[in-house]
Amino acid sequence: MRWKKLGRVFVANGTSEWVHSHGIVPIARALDAHRYRIYFSPRDRQNRSNVSWLDLDIRDPTKVLRLSEHPLLLPGPLGGFDDSGAMGCWVVEHDGVERLYYQGWMRGVTVSFYVAVGVAERPAGNPDRPFERISEGPILDRCRQEPIFIADPAVVIENGHWRMWYQSGRPWTRPADVALPSYDIRYAQSADGLNWNLTGIQSLAFQHPGEVAIARFCPLREPDGSYKAWYSYRANDWGYRIGFATSSDGISWTRRDEEAGIERDASWEGPMICYPFVFDTVLGRMMLYNGGRYGDAGFGIAVLEQD
């Protein structure tokens, strides 16, 4: 597997009030055969995430055709679980409704942040329409099964069953004067996409020396029924890299990071390459990914080379 990088798609230029910096966790949704809407999460001047979008043509994917004039989802009300930011994670269409799973942020005290998972919806077929929260509270938060945090879900529907892979918080550590988070990937199931059975199954565990975090799990089911997934992983002393795993059932995964076929280079990507989103198009399989320090250099696009 080899990915050919096509270039950077977007980087915030600091001139907008609400697209001031970053541009993380891109999500591709087809508008037609070649035109795609890319949802992503920039930060405003107060360093709070919101959900925005741009349009591109995959035949010339580094040219932005249209950029949203207003956010589709803003941070929540003061004191809410998402008052420090709302970061889009995954979009699912079901029964004429587009459902956005998002990660809500709150600034922490003893640790730097608290996160939980919220849902916003809108009728399908109007991609410019803002998403509306189904509730002011999260659908998934700290609980007996997940006492540290739960975040960054990937959600798919298969044969009427809802499946989720999410970041599961492991205990925070304080190797110096700063508390540092740790998280792996766990699996959940649901009958309706709102009420989830947290199975406790660890789908992706740490593998490399010093590894402390696995993020942005992006699964794909192949025509033969097998699964592939891309994600980012890091240690405290080295930045995010993109990994790769395979599975026969989507529950138990085998890491094959050496086969990922894409690495950080010295161009605009800087210290990290992270947060992949892989999708199939008429021109082949493509990947959106972030560069910089946790996505502050924006996102680029690559295409899978054919043998």
Side-chain angles (χ1 to χ4, degrees):
M1 184 162 53
R2 298 184 307 275
W3 294 91
K4 178 182 178 182
K5 295 178 180 179
L6 304 178
R8 181 160 57 177
V9 176
F10 174 83
V11 60
N13 59 18
T15 61
S16 169
E17 176 66 30
W18 50 275
V19 187
H20 182 67
S21 70
H22 293 71
I24 67 172
V25 193
I27 306 164
R29 298 277 291 171
L31 298 177
D32 57 40
H34 296 106
R35 190 174 176 123
Y36 277 75
R37 174 143 299 177
I38 312 300
Y39 301 99
F40 63 97
S41 294
R43 298 185 190 180
D44 64 16
R45 292 186 186 275
Q46 300 178 57
N47 205 34
R48 303 176 305 168
S49 302
N50 61 77
V51 179
S52 186
W53 58 265
L54 60 80
D55 289 346
L56 58 78
D57 190 314
I58 56 173
R59 294 169 294 189
D60 187 9
T62 61
K63 179 182 179 182
V64 175
L65 302 178
R66 186 180 172 207
L67 181 65
S68 60
E69 298 178 359
H70 305 283
L72 294 179
L73 188 69
L74 287 165
L78 182 65
F81 79 100
D82 51 359
D83 73 350
S84 298
M87 184 188 81
C89 299
W90 209 265
V91 178
V92 177
E93 185 172 333
H94 180 65
D95 288 343
V97 173
E98 275 189 310
R99 179 177 291 173
L100 170 70
Y101 291 85
Y102 73 95
Q103 177 173 305
W105 299 86
M106 287 191 74
R107 291 186 175 92
V109 178
T110 56
V111 295
S112 56
F113 63 81
Y114 309 117
V115 286
V117 175
V119 164
E121 295 182 337
R122 68 183 180 190
N126 186 354
D128 291 1
R129 178 171 174 165
F131 287 96
E132 297 182 4
R133 291 169 172 81
I134 65 167
S135 67
E136 291 193 359
I139 64 162
L140 289 168
D141 201 348
R142 289 180 294 179
C143 58
R144 287 190 303 167
Q145 299 96 321
E146 294 291 347
I148 309 300
F149 63 75
I150 181 169
D152 197 14
V155 178
V156 300
I157 307 171
E158 292 182 357
N159 302 318
H161 300 286
W162 295 69
R163 314 183 76 185
M164 175 189 286
W165 299 263
Y166 64 91
Q167 278 178 211
S168 172
R170 304 294 90 209
W172 289 72
T173 60
R174 195 187 295 272
D177 294 332
V178 179
L180 300 176
S182 179
Y183 35 90
D184 59 16
I185 303 298
R186 310 246 163 166
Y187 176 74
Q189 300 177 143
S190 174
D192 60 6
L194 298 177
N195 301 285
W196 289 89
N197 172 28
L198 302 178
T199 65
I201 295 172
Q202 184 184 48
S203 284
L204 221 60
F206 301 144
Q207 177 173 288
H208 305 286
E211 189 174 10
V212 298
I214 310 173
R216 184 47 166 173
F217 190 78
C218 180
L220 279 182
R221 189 178 186 183
E222 299 287 22
D224 65 1
S226 65
Y227 295 81
K228 294 177 180 175
W230 293 260
Y231 46 88
S232 47
Y233 64 97
R234 66 170 177 83
N236 285 331
D237 56 357
W238 44 265
Y240 271 127
R241 306 165 183 175
I242 290 179
F244 172 68
T246 58
S247 174
S248 61
D249 58 9
I251 298 175
S252 177
W253 294 80
T254 300
R255 292 184 65 169
R256 306 179 186 276
D257 295 339
E258 70 283 356
E259 300 175 21
I262 186 168
E263 297 182 357
R264 179 186 64 85
D265 61 35
S267 64
W268 61 271
E269 296 163 9
M272 297 184 184
I273 183 170
C274 54
Y275 309 148
F277 184 87
V278 177
F279 59 110
D280 289 325
T281 77
V282 295
L283 299 184
R285 182 160 287 179
M286 292 188 161
M287 176 193 290
L288 296 166
Y289 65 92
N290 279 113
R293 183 171 173 78
Y294 303 103
D296 64 0
F299 61 89
I301 190 167
V303 62
L304 186 63
E305 293 187 321
Q306 303 297 320
D307 292 331

